[in-house]
Amino acid sequence: MTFDDMQGLEHTDLIKLKRTVSKQKVSPAAAAAMRNIKGEAFISRRSSGMSFDFSRRDERMYIAGTEDGHIYKCSTSYSEQYLETYSGHLGPVYRVQWSPFQSNLFISSSADWSVKLWTEGKETALLTFQSANDEVNDVQWCPTNSTVFGTATSGGKIEIWDLAASTLKPVAQHACDGRKFSCMLFSEESPVVVAGGSNGGVQVLRLLDVDLADDLEAVQTKRLDDAMRANIVKTGVVSVQ
Protein backbone atom coordinates (compact mmCIF):
# COMPACT_ATOMS: atom_id res chain seq x y z
CA MET A 1 0.00 0.00 0.00
CA THR A 2 1.30 3.44 -0.94
CA PHE A 3 0.18 7.02 -0.31
CA ASP A 4 -0.07 9.64 -3.03
CA ASP A 5 -0.63 13.32 -2.19
CA MET A 6 -3.07 13.69 -5.06
CA GLN A 7 -4.93 10.36 -5.00
CA GLY A 8 -4.56 9.25 -1.37
CA LEU A 9 -4.03 5.59 -0.51
CA GLU A 10 -3.42 3.16 -3.33
CA HIS A 11 -3.32 -0.64 -3.09
CA THR A 12 -2.41 -3.71 -5.11
CA ASP A 13 -4.38 -6.96 -4.94
CA LEU A 14 -2.13 -9.84 -3.88
CA ILE A 15 -4.60 -12.69 -4.51
CA LYS A 16 -8.33 -13.39 -4.79
CA LEU A 17 -9.15 -16.01 -2.16
CA LYS A 18 -11.22 -18.86 -3.59
CA ARG A 19 -13.47 -21.13 -1.57
CA THR A 20 -12.27 -24.71 -1.17
CA VAL A 21 -14.10 -27.79 0.07
CA SER A 22 -13.20 -28.81 3.61
CA LYS A 23 -12.09 -32.39 4.25
CA GLN A 24 -12.66 -32.02 7.99
CA LYS A 25 -15.64 -33.31 9.96
CA VAL A 26 -17.81 -30.41 11.01
CA SER A 27 -19.46 -29.79 14.36
CA PRO A 28 -23.22 -30.42 14.80
CA ALA A 29 -23.87 -26.66 14.91
CA ALA A 30 -21.97 -26.11 11.65
CA ALA A 31 -23.78 -29.05 10.02
CA ALA A 32 -27.15 -27.58 11.01
CA ALA A 33 -26.18 -24.22 9.53
CA MET A 34 -25.22 -25.91 6.27
CA ARG A 35 -28.58 -27.70 6.11
CA ASN A 36 -30.37 -24.38 6.56
CA ILE A 37 -28.72 -22.92 3.46
CA LYS A 38 -28.88 -26.10 1.37
CA GLY A 39 -30.33 -25.42 -2.04
CA GLU A 40 -29.54 -21.72 -2.00
CA ALA A 41 -27.24 -20.32 -4.66
CA PHE A 42 -23.73 -19.26 -3.70
CA ILE A 43 -23.57 -15.50 -3.18
CA SER A 44 -19.88 -15.62 -3.96
CA ARG A 45 -17.21 -18.17 -4.76
CA ARG A 46 -14.70 -15.97 -3.00
CA SER A 47 -13.59 -16.63 0.56
CA SER A 48 -13.44 -13.76 3.02
CA GLY A 49 -9.95 -13.12 4.35
CA MET A 50 -9.73 -12.49 8.11
CA SER A 51 -6.00 -12.02 8.72
CA PHE A 52 -2.58 -12.43 7.13
CA ASP A 53 1.08 -12.29 8.06
CA PHE A 54 4.22 -12.05 5.92
CA SER A 55 7.10 -14.47 6.47
CA ARG A 56 10.20 -13.14 8.18
CA ARG A 57 12.31 -15.53 6.10
CA ASP A 58 10.96 -14.59 2.66
CA GLU A 59 9.23 -11.23 2.20
CA ARG A 60 7.28 -12.62 -0.79
CA MET A 61 5.65 -15.35 1.29
CA TYR A 62 2.57 -14.89 3.48
CA ILE A 63 -0.19 -16.88 5.15
CA ALA A 64 -3.86 -15.92 5.14
CA GLY A 65 -6.63 -17.06 7.50
CA THR A 66 -10.16 -17.19 6.07
CA GLU A 67 -13.79 -17.16 7.15
CA ASP A 68 -14.10 -20.76 5.90
CA GLY A 69 -11.57 -22.01 8.46
CA HIS A 70 -8.78 -22.70 5.98
CA ILE A 71 -5.30 -21.17 6.08
CA TYR A 72 -3.42 -20.62 2.84
CA LYS A 73 0.26 -20.08 2.18
CA CYS A 74 0.63 -17.66 -0.71
CA SER A 75 3.31 -15.77 -2.61
CA THR A 76 3.27 -12.30 -4.10
CA SER A 77 4.82 -13.94 -7.19
CA TYR A 78 1.75 -16.15 -7.80
CA SER A 79 -1.63 -14.42 -7.65
CA GLU A 80 -3.72 -17.26 -9.12
CA GLN A 81 -2.98 -20.19 -6.82
CA TYR A 82 -2.16 -21.21 -3.26
CA LEU A 83 1.20 -22.75 -2.44
CA GLU A 84 -0.21 -24.79 0.45
CA THR A 85 -3.54 -25.28 2.22
CA TYR A 86 -3.84 -25.97 5.95
CA SER A 87 -7.08 -27.49 7.25
CA GLY A 88 -8.27 -28.10 10.78
CA HIS A 89 -10.26 -25.14 12.07
CA LEU A 90 -14.05 -25.45 12.02
CA GLY A 91 -14.74 -21.72 12.15
CA PRO A 92 -13.34 -18.40 10.92
CA VAL A 93 -9.60 -17.96 11.49
CA TYR A 94 -9.26 -14.61 13.23
CA ARG A 95 -5.46 -14.43 13.48
CA VAL A 96 -2.38 -16.06 11.96
CA GLN A 97 1.19 -15.23 12.93
CA TRP A 98 4.63 -16.63 12.13
CA SER A 99 6.93 -17.49 15.02
CA PRO A 100 9.62 -14.83 15.52
CA PHE A 101 12.13 -17.54 16.46
CA GLN A 102 11.35 -20.47 14.10
CA SER A 103 10.63 -19.33 10.56
CA ASN A 104 8.65 -22.41 9.48
CA LEU A 105 6.23 -22.38 12.45
CA PHE A 106 3.06 -20.33 12.69
CA ILE A 107 0.08 -20.11 15.00
CA SER A 108 -3.63 -19.43 14.47
CA SER A 109 -6.73 -18.60 16.51
CA SER A 110 -10.34 -19.26 15.56
CA ALA A 111 -14.02 -18.92 16.36
CA ASP A 112 -14.01 -22.71 16.96
CA TRP A 113 -12.59 -22.06 20.48
CA SER A 114 -9.10 -23.28 19.60
CA VAL A 115 -5.54 -22.20 18.88
CA LYS A 116 -3.45 -24.35 16.55
CA LEU A 117 0.27 -24.59 15.88
CA TRP A 118 1.38 -25.42 12.32
CA THR A 119 4.52 -25.99 10.28
CA GLU A 120 5.12 -25.44 6.60
CA GLY A 121 4.75 -28.57 4.48
CA LYS A 122 2.21 -30.27 6.76
CA GLU A 123 -1.50 -29.65 6.07
CA THR A 124 -2.72 -30.59 9.56
CA ALA A 125 -1.88 -28.90 12.86
CA LEU A 126 0.98 -30.07 15.05
CA LEU A 127 -0.72 -29.07 18.31
CA THR A 128 -4.12 -27.75 19.40
CA PHE A 129 -4.80 -25.64 22.50
CA GLN A 130 -8.16 -25.00 24.16
CA SER A 131 -8.99 -23.94 27.71
CA ALA A 132 -12.66 -22.92 27.44
CA ASN A 133 -15.66 -22.73 25.12
CA ASP A 134 -14.91 -19.21 23.91
CA GLU A 135 -14.01 -17.78 20.54
CA VAL A 136 -10.30 -16.93 20.41
CA ASN A 137 -10.22 -13.49 18.82
CA ASP A 138 -6.46 -12.99 18.83
CA VAL A 139 -3.21 -14.87 19.38
CA GLN A 140 0.26 -13.35 19.62
CA TRP A 141 3.74 -14.78 20.04
CA CYS A 142 5.80 -13.30 22.84
CA PRO A 143 8.76 -11.47 21.24
CA THR A 144 11.08 -12.12 24.20
CA ASN A 145 10.32 -15.78 24.98
CA SER A 146 10.24 -18.31 22.15
CA THR A 147 7.85 -20.80 23.81
CA VAL A 148 5.27 -18.29 25.05
CA PHE A 149 2.17 -16.96 23.30
CA GLY A 150 -0.96 -15.18 24.49
CA THR A 151 -4.64 -15.24 23.52
CA ALA A 152 -7.60 -12.86 23.80
CA THR A 153 -11.04 -14.48 24.02
CA SER A 154 -14.69 -13.50 23.67
CA GLY A 155 -15.18 -14.85 27.20
CA GLY A 156 -13.25 -11.89 28.59
CA LYS A 157 -9.94 -13.68 29.22
CA ILE A 158 -6.32 -12.96 28.42
CA GLU A 159 -4.39 -16.22 28.63
CA ILE A 160 -0.64 -16.78 28.60
CA TRP A 161 0.56 -20.17 27.35
CA ASP A 162 4.04 -21.68 27.57
CA LEU A 163 4.89 -24.69 25.39
CA ALA A 164 7.73 -25.57 27.73
CA ALA A 165 5.33 -25.83 30.69
CA SER A 166 2.03 -27.26 29.40
CA THR A 167 -0.10 -27.60 26.26
CA LEU A 168 -3.22 -28.40 28.29
CA LYS A 169 -3.71 -25.19 30.24
CA PRO A 170 -2.36 -21.63 30.28
CA VAL A 171 0.32 -20.68 32.81
CA ALA A 172 -1.42 -17.37 33.57
CA GLN A 173 -4.89 -15.92 33.06
CA HIS A 174 -6.63 -12.58 33.51
CA ALA A 175 -10.44 -12.42 33.37
CA CYS A 176 -12.94 -9.55 33.14
CA ASP A 177 -16.64 -10.27 33.65
CA GLY A 178 -19.07 -8.80 31.14
CA ARG A 179 -16.38 -7.87 28.63
CA LYS A 180 -14.95 -9.43 25.49
CA PHE A 181 -11.29 -9.06 24.59
CA SER A 182 -10.77 -8.46 20.89
CA CYS A 183 -6.99 -8.14 20.64
CA MET A 184 -3.75 -8.24 22.59
CA LEU A 185 -0.08 -7.38 22.11
CA PHE A 186 3.16 -8.09 23.95
CA SER A 187 5.56 -5.22 24.54
CA GLU A 188 8.99 -5.68 22.97
CA GLU A 189 10.65 -3.47 25.58
CA SER A 190 9.17 -4.65 28.89
CA PRO A 191 7.20 -7.59 30.42
CA VAL A 192 3.83 -6.02 29.63
CA VAL A 193 0.71 -7.04 27.68
CA VAL A 194 -1.88 -4.58 26.37
CA ALA A 195 -5.39 -5.83 25.63
CA GLY A 196 -8.31 -4.18 23.82
CA GLY A 197 -11.85 -4.84 25.02
CA SER A 198 -15.42 -4.59 23.74
CA ASN A 199 -15.99 -1.54 25.97
CA GLY A 200 -13.54 0.49 23.90
CA GLY A 201 -10.90 0.47 26.61
CA VAL A 202 -7.34 -0.89 26.76
CA GLN A 203 -5.91 -2.74 29.74
CA VAL A 204 -2.20 -2.87 30.55
CA LEU A 205 -1.10 -6.06 32.31
CA ARG A 206 2.28 -6.87 33.81
CA LEU A 207 3.82 -10.32 33.25
CA LEU A 208 5.95 -12.19 35.78
CA ASP A 209 8.64 -14.78 35.01
CA VAL A 210 8.09 -14.63 31.24
CA ASP A 211 10.61 -12.16 29.84
CA LEU A 212 13.82 -13.81 28.55
CA ALA A 213 15.02 -10.98 26.33
CA ASP A 214 18.63 -11.35 27.50
CA ASP A 215 18.91 -14.87 26.04
CA LEU A 216 20.72 -15.27 22.73
CA GLU A 217 18.56 -16.07 19.71
CA ALA A 218 20.22 -19.50 19.40
CA VAL A 219 19.23 -20.29 22.99
CA GLN A 220 15.66 -19.15 22.33
CA THR A 221 15.44 -21.29 19.18
CA LYS A 222 16.78 -24.37 20.96
CA ARG A 223 14.28 -23.89 23.79
CA LEU A 224 11.43 -23.81 21.27
CA ASP A 225 12.77 -26.85 19.37
CA ASP A 226 13.09 -28.85 22.60
CA ALA A 227 9.57 -27.93 23.72
CA MET A 228 8.13 -28.82 20.32
CA ARG A 229 9.84 -32.21 20.21
CA ALA A 230 8.70 -33.07 23.73
CA ASN A 231 5.07 -32.19 23.00
CA ILE A 232 5.02 -33.84 19.58
CA VAL A 233 6.22 -37.12 21.11
CA LYS A 234 3.29 -36.92 23.54
CA THR A 235 0.73 -36.32 20.77
CA GLY A 236 2.16 -38.87 18.36
CA VAL A 237 3.08 -36.45 15.56
CA VAL A 238 6.09 -37.83 13.68
CA SER A 239 8.35 -34.82 13.26
CA VAL A 240 8.82 -31.10 12.78
CA GLN A 241 11.35 -30.01 10.19
Side-chain angles (χ1 to χ4, degrees):
M1 182 175 290
T2 59
F3 182 80
D4 185 277
D5 290 335
M6 299 296 293
Q7 299 181 4
L9 287 174
E10 297 180 348
H11 73 278
T12 300
D13 289 340
L14 294 180
I15 195 170
K16 295 186 184 300
L17 297 170
K18 301 175 183 177
R19 293 185 184 275
T20 57
V21 178
S22 176
K23 300 178 182 178
Q24 300 292 319
K25 293 182 179 179
V26 299
S27 64
M34 288 185 216
R35 287 195 294 270
N36 289 337
I37 63 172
K38 188 176 181 180
E40 296 182 6
F42 280 109
I43 295 176
S44 172
R45 293 190 178 276
R46 301 297 183 191
S47 179
S48 299
M50 307 296 291
S51 63
F52 70 98
D53 191 31
F54 277 91
S55 170
R56 292 164 175 78
R57 183 184 71 245
D58 186 344
E59 63 182 11
R60 299 168 301 173
M61 207 77 64
Y62 62 96
I63 46 175
T66 68
E67 186 180 29
D68 299 334
H70 296 296
I71 300 171
Y72 301 113
K73 184 172 81 170
C74 311
S75 171
T76 57
S77 302
Y78 303 96
S79 61
E80 297 297 327
Q81 63 183 10
Y82 307 130
L83 301 183
E84 291 181 353
T85 299
Y86 308 96
S87 300
H89 282 301
L90 302 179
V93 179
Y94 292 142
R95 176 71 68 181
V96 289
Q97 188 184 46
W98 293 100
S99 166
F101 295 97
Q102 190 64 276
S103 61
N104 64 322
L105 288 178
F106 62 93
I107 203 164
S108 62
S109 65
S110 171
D112 67 3
W113 312 340
S114 73
V115 169
K116 292 182 182 291
L117 185 63
W118 314 77
T119 185
E120 287 182 278
K122 184 175 176 58
E123 66 177 16
T124 56
L126 298 174
L127 296 169
T128 297
F129 310 85
Q130 181 182 340
S131 67
N133 298 338
D134 299 319
E135 293 185 357
V136 187
N137 294 324
D138 196 11
V139 62
Q140 294 285 327
W141 287 103
C142 177
T144 59
N145 190 323
S146 61
T147 61
V148 170
F149 65 88
T151 61
T153 78
S154 62
K157 295 178 182 177
I158 296 296
E159 297 179 337
I160 306 299
W161 295 75
D162 188 345
L163 291 170
S166 174
T167 59
L168 300 178
K169 61 182 180 179
V171 295
Q173 186 179 96
H174 171 75
C176 283
D177 294 334
R179 181 184 306 176
K180 298 180 180 180
F181 282 114
S182 56
C183 58
M184 66 161 295
L185 189 65
F186 286 93
S187 168
E188 296 184 4
E189 305 297 332
S190 57
V192 166
V193 165
V194 291
S198 58
N199 65 341
V202 176
Q203 289 197 16
V204 181
L205 309 172
R206 182 172 179 83
L207 297 172
L208 299 176
D209 303 322
V210 169
D211 189 11
L212 296 173
D214 292 335
D215 285 355
L216 297 175
E217 184 173 351
V219 175
Q220 294 270 19
T221 301
K222 184 179 186 303
R223 182 185 300 110
L224 178 57
D225 288 342
D226 291 345
M228 289 295 301
R229 289 193 181 94
N231 286 300
I232 285 169
V233 168
K234 294 176 185 178
T235 58
V237 178
V238 176
S239 66
V240 181
Q241 297 298 325

